[in-house]
Amino acid sequence: MSASHVPISPRSLPTPRRLPVWHTIRSILQRDKRPLFGVAILAVFVLMAILAPVLTPYSPSQTGFQTMAAPSARHWLGTTASGQDVLSQFLYGSRISLGVGFTAGFIATLLAVIMGMFPAYLGGHTDTIMATVTNIMLVIPGLPLLIVITAYVHQTGPATIALVIGLTGWAWGARVLRSQTLTLSHRDFVVAARLAGENRWRILLAEILPNMLSLVVANVVFATIGAILAEASLEFLGLGNPNIITWGTMLYWADAGEALLGGAWWWIVPPGLAIALVGLSLALINFGIDQIANPRLRVNRIRKNRAGRGSHP
Amino acid sequence: MQFVRQRLAFLLLSLWAAATINFVLPRLMPGNPAILMIGRFKGQLSARALKALELQFGVTHKPLWDQYLIYLNNLIHGRLGLSLTYYPVPVSRIIAESLPWTLGLVGVATLISVAVGLILGIYTAWHRGGNWDAILPTMATFTAALPYFWLGLLMLFLLGYLWHWFPLAHAYSTSLTPSFSWSFIRNMLYHALLPAMTIVISSMGGWLLGMRNNMIQTLGEDYVLFGRARGLSQRRLMIHYAARNAILPSMTGFAMAIGFVVGGALLTEVVFSYPGVGYQLLAAVQNEDYPLMQGLFLIIAFSVLITNFLVEILYARLDPRTRGGVHK
């Protein structure tokens, strides 16, 4: 009892219950630089997407350059088989790839909150049914389902893809949020609020939700990684609209244009690497969010415990 | 036993759900896409096949409920209709030809990736703060974010095209006929190596990170501390005390992980022109061969659901905590 309640830093003493979030974030970032790296990488990509017209003189669909040209001073990332500038495709493509990813991530999280938090709090048959639906959605493989849906939809633009990915990708979040809601609704402060006669919805939105915010944010990040990968996969398979330039359709055209057999690595490497780097940056950010949600994972604590244990005779 | 019954009920429920999704999807879409497809094949199919198609995709005046019952009845009897691309070959035969390739590839690759991922996870957690612990988890985070198909393309480019170490496509050399001879098996393994490596590299990171987290949690438990106080050997503490207990919780994510790996494997097959269900699924989509597409989707979903069921049963045998604890 006593050991685990010794405050780690004197700063955490005056406000025992809810430290300002900013305070927690700063203390985590002092110990662990990974989330900062993540934010930096993501910021670079977002800036590239916004500043695309400034960064490249060419339009992404402009043809007529030399075909399959290696990187040069005029075309930093070379050209495609139909003579388009790869760099401008890469920069403009990031707009839709990131846009679809985050949109789908938000849709999935919103659904996860609705399907996970509300039924768990209300309980009863609704909860049983929703939990079963969630578990079923969780085990049905996502990508094959996405492929089948997009095959039926036919003309699938970015908006449709974002919607479909969001609609099929909520199950994991719903499960996590459900179990956290169940845990929280038995905590003293929630029981106290209920005994004090607080309105049920007020308890849910003002007492429980704020305490799950880090999980919700983590879910946005997590769902966005999945969405960016899923979008790229669908478009690579040619199930998106191949005329809209994204990282996924770039890879589709590169594969269709036999970029590899022509040795055009400059056409293949950038979009895939960008997808992986955005995924990495989000995962690094998630390391930070995890530590807000679960103090046990905080780097300083683990090290301290270990040092303490080592010094025991 | 109660646990097995409960999981079996869930398996049946999820199988039914997958089958129902399969039935509902084409009927849900605005302007039933199957009408177009059937129109396209009108002259080429026998009247009976055409009628079966209309029933399968809801282009008929029969009540929805009847269609549904006929559909379920056909499914139970393994009648998945005829493929349009390979007309009049039954969908079930194409599945029977392509499924073994996928099961072999994904099965072996998953076993390797789970084993290596878990071992590296144990190692990095045990040497927490060491050199490898700084490198491996970060690398795992990166490889977990790699798109499968892109990694496959790169491997194909480097190891296949530039250095000629591996073949560029297919499951075996087209000059050979499948047989159980050693030379054929060797040729088959040689062709499977690059796609398998792609799946292993992309999926290993998740296992490593999950195992490392669980291992760190377990190392903080009192019984590990007590074991240390008793002066047990490091090896015994690491493997018998910590790792054995940390492996089981990391299998809870298996359901989602296997679904994800299968999705990735489908893409890998497309990249390597590997004749499994993923490759066939894409071909079916491109040819608007909806009966084949439906059949493949079902078989993929069913395989994942059944694997998941088997792993859960195994998991319960190994870890008594899960048997009773589910309801609490």
Side-chain angles (χ1 to χ4, degrees):
Chain A
M1 185 77 201
S2 61
S4 61
H5 281 257
V6 171
I8 295 157
S9 66
R11 266 177 291 161
S12 62
L13 265 178
T15 45
R17 207 194 127 208
R18 209 182 277 169
L19 281 170
V21 177
W22 175 237
H23 206 116
T24 321
I25 294 176
R26 205 176 57 187
S27 98
I28 289 171
L29 290 182
Q30 274 168 359
R31 310 272 172 177
D32 188 359
K33 298 282 179 246
R34 290 176 302 179
L36 273 184
F37 273 114
V39 172
I41 299 173
L42 190 63
V44 170
F45 279 104
V46 171
L47 279 179
M48 275 179 13
I50 295 171
L51 297 178
V54 185
L55 294 172
T56 170
Y58 312 117
S59 144
S61 48
Q62 184 180 350
T63 53
F65 301 116
Q66 189 196 347
T67 58
M68 289 275 220
S72 63
R74 277 191 65 200
H75 301 287
W76 288 4
L77 291 176
T79 61
T80 70
S82 43
Q84 295 148 314
D85 182 53
V86 175
L87 180 65
S88 9
Q89 292 207 326
F90 177 74
L91 292 173
Y92 281 97
S94 67
R95 292 179 162 186
I96 292 177
S97 286
L98 293 177
V100 168
F102 279 98
T103 311
F106 274 106
I107 296 175
T109 306
L110 188 67
L111 283 171
V113 171
I114 295 173
M115 309 288 270
M117 200 177 85
F118 290 99
Y121 183 66
L122 298 175
H125 288 302
T126 335
D127 182 40
T128 317
I129 295 169
M130 294 315 278
T132 313
V133 171
T134 304
N135 284 335
I136 290 175
M137 274 306 283
L138 198 59
V139 287
I140 289 179
L143 189 67
L145 183 61
L146 283 176
I147 292 177
V148 170
I149 295 177
T150 41
Y152 285 130
V153 178
H154 272 288
Q155 293 302 317
T156 38
T160 323
I161 289 199
L163 193 66
V164 172
I165 294 175
L167 287 176
T168 51
W170 51 269
W172 181 252
R175 184 145 125 171
V176 173
L177 294 180
R178 174 174 184 270
S179 58
Q180 183 69 4
T181 309
L182 288 178
T183 314
L184 285 178
S185 55
H186 295 294
R187 289 277 170 82
D188 290 346
F189 67 93
V190 176
V191 175
R194 198 179 304 144
L195 291 179
E198 288 261 28
N199 175 293
R200 288 214 299 186
W201 291 101
R202 217 199 84 81
I203 295 178
L204 188 61
L205 297 175
E207 301 287 344
I208 296 183
L209 187 60
N211 281 290
M212 307 212 304
L213 223 49
S214 54
L215 273 183
V216 174
V217 177
N219 194 67
V220 172
V221 171
F222 188 65
T224 304
I225 299 179
I228 289 176
L229 278 174
E231 182 216 0
S233 307
L234 288 177
E235 286 171 346
F236 169 71
L237 294 175
L239 298 174
N241 181 348
N243 297 319
I244 293 174
I245 293 161
T246 68
W247 290 338
T249 55
M250 280 178 79
L251 288 166
Y252 167 75
W253 285 114
D255 194 49
E258 309 237 299
L260 285 186
L261 302 184
W265 53 268
W266 56 85
W267 192 3
I268 300 261
V269 172
L273 195 61
I275 293 167
L277 283 175
V278 170
L280 176 70
S281 75
L282 291 171
L284 290 177
I285 294 171
N286 225 2
F287 280 131
I289 300 171
D290 275 349
Q291 290 174 44
I292 299 177
N294 182 1
R296 259 187 131 177
L297 289 174
R298 282 182 203 167
V299 173
N300 52 348
R301 272 225 182 162
I302 291 167
R303 296 243 164 91
K304 275 218 165 150
N305 276 348
R306 199 183 178 217
R309 195 179 303 136
S311 66
H312 278 302
Chain B
M1 213 51 231
Q2 213 229 311
F3 175 78
V4 175
R5 254 204 311 271
Q6 199 190 332
R7 294 326 296 167
L8 196 64
F10 181 73
L11 172 69
L12 292 177
L13 196 63
S14 48
L15 290 178
W16 167 79
T20 304
I21 289 176
N22 202 25
F23 173 82
V24 170
L25 275 180
R27 290 167 174 79
L28 212 62
M29 295 299 161
N32 191 336
I35 298 179
L36 284 173
M37 169 202 67
I38 291 172
R40 216 155 49 81
F41 284 94
K42 229 163 202 154
Q44 307 165 38
L45 304 181
S46 71
R48 233 181 106 225
L50 210 59
K51 204 153 179 301
L53 268 184
E54 286 176 353
L55 198 62
Q56 194 172 357
F57 292 94
V59 194
T60 165
H61 295 297
K62 268 194 198 293
L64 202 61
W65 184 244
D66 285 358
Q67 295 178 31
Y68 185 54
L69 290 182
I70 296 171
Y71 163 79
L72 284 183
N73 184 44
N74 278 341
L75 198 61
I76 290 167
H77 292 93
R79 288 195 292 264
L80 295 170
L82 302 179
S83 159
L84 299 174
T85 329
Y86 306 97
Y87 184 80
V89 179
V91 167
S92 49
R93 193 185 314 154
I94 298 171
I95 289 174
E97 278 166 16
S98 51
L99 191 61
W101 292 111
T102 302
L103 288 182
L105 182 68
V106 180
V108 173
T110 304
L111 283 180
I112 297 174
S113 121
V114 171
V116 178
L118 292 187
I119 290 171
L120 291 179
I122 293 170
Y123 181 83
T124 50
W126 185 255
H127 297 279
R128 199 167 59 233
N131 283 340
W132 286 109
D133 188 39
I135 300 166
L136 282 176
T138 315
M139 263 181 64
T141 315
F142 181 67
T143 55
L146 286 176
Y148 277 72
F149 60 91
W150 182 69
L151 184 66
L153 286 173
L154 283 192
M155 305 253 277
L156 204 58
F157 180 61
L158 285 179
L159 303 176
Y161 172 75
L162 273 189
W163 298 337
H164 300 289
W165 288 0
F166 292 99
L168 289 172
H170 307 306
Y172 52 87
S173 297
T174 36
S175 57
L176 297 176
T177 40
S179 64
F180 273 104
S181 68
W182 172 233
S183 66
F184 179 76
I185 291 174
R186 211 176 48 192
N187 186 274
M188 202 179 78
L189 290 176
Y190 181 50
H191 279 75
L193 208 56
L194 215 48
M197 264 160 63
T198 307
I199 299 174
V200 169
I201 293 176
S202 309
S203 60
M204 200 174 66
W207 297 109
L208 191 158
L209 292 172
M211 186 62 193
R212 181 176 172 274
N213 269 355
N214 286 323
M215 186 78 178
I216 287 176
Q217 295 265 356
T218 317
L219 285 174
E221 297 284 343
D222 287 342
Y223 60 83
V224 177
L225 184 62
F226 183 66
R228 201 187 291 265
R230 278 176 63 202
L232 294 180
S233 76
Q234 296 285 307
R235 197 186 159 75
R236 197 172 162 77
L237 270 179
M238 178 166 89
I239 295 168
H240 293 265
Y241 276 63
R244 274 174 57 160
N245 286 300
I247 283 178
L248 291 164
S250 58
M251 296 310 280
T252 46
F254 191 84
M256 204 180 73
I258 192 69
F260 199 71
V261 172
V262 166
L266 302 185
L267 295 164
T268 310
E269 284 179 4
V270 171
V271 171
F272 289 93
S273 307
Y274 203 82
V277 285
Y279 183 72
Q280 291 287 5
L281 180 65
L282 183 66
V285 168
Q286 283 166 346
N287 297 324
E288 294 188 17
D289 187 347
Y290 289 146
L292 182 57
M293 182 183 85
Q294 281 202 334
L296 288 165
F297 169 72
L298 272 185
I299 207 68
I300 294 168
F302 280 19
S303 313
V304 168
L305 296 175
I306 291 168
T307 313
N308 192 34
F309 167 75
L310 294 177
V311 168
E312 275 185 334
I313 297 299
L314 185 73
Y315 175 39
R317 280 196 69 87
L318 295 174
D319 188 350
R321 281 173 298 185
T322 52
R323 269 176 250 160
V326 178
H327 277 302
K328 282 181 191 162

